[in-house]
Structures are given as C-alpha cells and as structure tokens.
Amino acid sequence: MIEGDILTRANELAWVDIADGIRFRLLRTSAETGTWTVIFQCDEGSAFARHRHYGAGEYYVISGKMQYRAGTAVTGDWGYEPLGAVHDHTVFLEPTELLFTNHGPVAYIDDDDNVTAILDYALLEQLVSEHAGQNG
C-alpha cells in the first residue's frame, strides 16, 4: 500500500447532528488544504440556510431529492458549486443522502451578507469529537 492511502468504513461511522434534520458522517478532512468530505443525511423538509462557498464544492446524490439555485438534483446526479457561489436556500424535498466534498469553508450569511457561522474542516472535526465524548 502506498503511504497516505485512506480506507474508511463509512457505514460504521456515527451520524453527527449539524442542523435541524441534517446529520453527517465525516469521511476526511485536510488542515493543509481546508478540504472536507462528508455524507449528509437529510430529512424531508430540512434545509441549509443561506450560505456562500469560500471553496468550490462537489456533490453526488446517493438517494433523494435536493432543490437549490441550480435546479433539482435527484438520485444519481452530480453537481459542482464554484468558489463564491451563494445559495439562498437548499431544501431537501424527500429523505436525501449525498456525498459532499468542499475545498474550503462555507460561510452562513444573513440577508445583509453578514457571516453568522463558518462550516469548515475544524468545526466538523470538533463536532465529531464532541459527539464521541457524549457517546463514549
């Protein structure tokens, strides 16, 4: 095996809450690049609040249906979200799982474009650590 390879048994990872009706499994983070990869599990009707991408993102819909500014993504769809993209509302129209990689942070913003929260590799690591501490 080449040093640095990663094999993760994703189905064995805990689901960690991140927003109302949305959980994630953390697959990988990189402090060097800020990149993070997760599987999101989203309840029908759940949504991500308005946000701006400070790194490009890519997703693959494992199952379900997600609606956002580019349209409606369904099972089997892949999408790309460029650096600087602003998504006013991302809603899940049915129970949805998606594989998501972002190449930097996502900033949640209010209607005046003020940053209200930052989602990045460090926060995801912290949430997983806190979850393990509560359940371990």
Side-chain angles (χ1 to χ4, degrees):
M1 175 168 46
I2 297 173
E3 194 167 323
D5 286 2
I6 298 171
L7 173 64
T8 301
R9 304 223 183 276
N11 289 334
E12 296 176 8
L13 297 174
W15 288 109
V16 179
D17 293 330
I18 193 162
D20 288 339
I22 301 176
R23 295 153 298 285
F24 71 95
R25 284 179 165 159
L26 184 58
L27 301 179
R28 180 177 180 269
T29 62
S30 171
E32 295 169 308
T33 66
T35 299
W36 46 275
T37 300
V38 298
I39 298 173
F40 284 121
Q41 184 182 64
C42 310
D43 295 342
E44 181 176 350
S46 64
F48 284 114
R50 187 168 191 259
H51 59 275
R52 173 178 285 117
H53 287 262
Y54 285 109
E58 300 177 60
Y59 67 84
Y60 175 78
V61 181
I62 298 166
S63 64
K65 188 182 291 187
M66 173 182 75
Q67 187 173 47
Y68 73 118
R69 79 174 193 162
T72 302
V74 299
T75 301
D77 286 351
W78 174 87
Y80 175 79
E81 301 169 340
L83 171 70
V86 174
H87 296 122
D88 287 320
H89 193 63
T90 301
V91 64
F92 299 94
L93 304 175
E94 60 189 47
T96 301
E97 284 192 13
L98 65 145
L99 176 66
F100 186 82
T101 297
N102 213 70
H103 303 282
V106 171
Y108 288 92
I109 53 178
D110 63 19
D111 291 337
D112 295 321
D113 290 336
N114 297 307
V115 175
T116 59
I118 297 284
L119 174 58
D120 65 357
Y121 80 92
L123 176 61
L124 292 166
E125 289 176 353
Q126 176 186 340
L127 293 171
V128 168
S129 178
E130 290 172 358
H131 179 81
Q134 294 169 3
N135 296 298

